[in-house]
Amino acid sequence: MRLSSKAQQIIRDSTHEIFGSDATAIVFGSRVDDMASGGDIDLLVQSDKAIAQRQRKALQLVARLQIRLGDQPIDVLVLDPETTCQSVHEEALRTGVPL
Amino acid sequence: MSVNSPLLPIERFLQTLRLVFREGNHLLYSYGRLYSQPVDAVWVQGLDVNPELAERLEAFISRFGRMQDTIADKLLPRWLLALAERPGSQIETLNRAERLGVVNNVENWLEARKLHNRLVHEYMEDAEAFAEDLVLAREYSIMLLDTFNRLHNFVAKRMEIEEATLPGLIALPEQD
C-alpha cells in the first residue's frame, strides 16, 4: 500500500463524513501495488445500505480529498445494493485493500 | 510604446475577463438548449438515435469545461497579478478567491472540475449515472456563471476600473 497511514486516516474519515459511518473505503489499482510509483488514487466506497445521491457524494469525496491530501488525480466508485456490480467493482473488491 | 510591448497585468486581466464573459454567454445558450427538456436516463438512451441532440449535449459539456478552465487557469491568476499578488497552485488561487468572496466555495469548485472530467471520460457508459451527472452539471453551471458575476462585482467595487471598460453581468437563468 503506497499511502501513508495519515493519508489512509484522512480517506477513512472523509468517506465517513460524506457517505456515513457504514461505508467502507477500499483502495485499489496502482496504489496497492508496492512496485508501482505515483499514480491515481482509486477508491471504491462500499456500503450495505443504499446511498442517496451517489454521483454527487463521489464528487464531494474527490474534492475534499484533493484539498486535504493535495491536488492529485483521484477516482471514486460507489457500490451500494442499488448499484449494478460491474467488472470494475469486482476487480476492486478482489484486489483492493479496505481502510 | 511599440505594438509588441507586453500588456500591463490589469489590461491582460480585463482582456481575459471579456473572454470569460463571452464564454459564459455561450455556456448560457447551451444550458438553455439542453435543459429545455427533462434530462434523465431515458433521454440519455435516446441520444443514440438523435445525433442532433447529442451534438447539443457535446456543446454544453465543452463550454462547461472551457469556462471552468479559463476561470481557474487564466482569469483568477491574472486577476491576482492585477492586484499585485502572486498566484500559487490552482487550489491556492481558488482559496484566495474564496477569501475575497469571488469563489463561493473551493470544494464545490473542485467538485465541478471532477464532474467535467467524468462527463468527458465516462460519456454515456451508464445511462443512469450519466443522467445524474447532467442534472448536477445544471447547478454547477450556475456556480460558474455566478463566479464571473462575483468577480465582476469585485472589480467594479474594489478596483479602480472604469465601468465602461468592463463587460456586463451574465443574466443567470432561473432554476426550477
Side-chain angles (χ1 to χ4, degrees), chain B residues 48 50 98 114:
Chain B
D48 286 338
N50 197 335
E98 186 186 75
K114 182 64 187 179

Side-chain angles (χ1 to χ4, degrees), chain A residues 69-91:
Chain A
L69 296 175
D71 202 359
Q72 57 192 305
I74 299 173
D75 273 318
V76 172
L77 297 174
V78 181
L79 183 60
D80 73 357
E82 290 176 6
T83 321
T84 317
C85 192
Q86 294 164 330
S87 56
V88 62
H89 300 116
E90 284 166 11
E91 175 76 8

Side-chain angles (χ1 to χ4, degrees), chain B residues 33-90:
Chain B
R33 297 259 291 164
L34 180 62
Y35 295 112
S36 58
Q37 64 246 297
V39 172
D40 54 21
V42 175
W43 183 89
V44 169
Q45 280 150 355
L47 291 173
D48 286 338
V49 291
N50 197 335
E52 197 270 334
L53 215 54
E55 203 168 72
R56 195 183 289 184
L57 169 63
E58 202 61 33
F60 169 78
I61 294 172
S62 162
R63 291 170 178 195
F64 180 79
R66 182 181 297 123
M67 186 179 188
Q68 184 173 49
D69 285 349
T70 313
I71 291 177
D73 296 341
K74 298 198 173 90
L75 184 63
L76 296 179
R78 288 172 187 177
W79 166 57
L80 293 181
L81 286 169
L83 293 172
E85 294 193 21
R86 195 193 295 268
S89 68
Q90 187 174 110

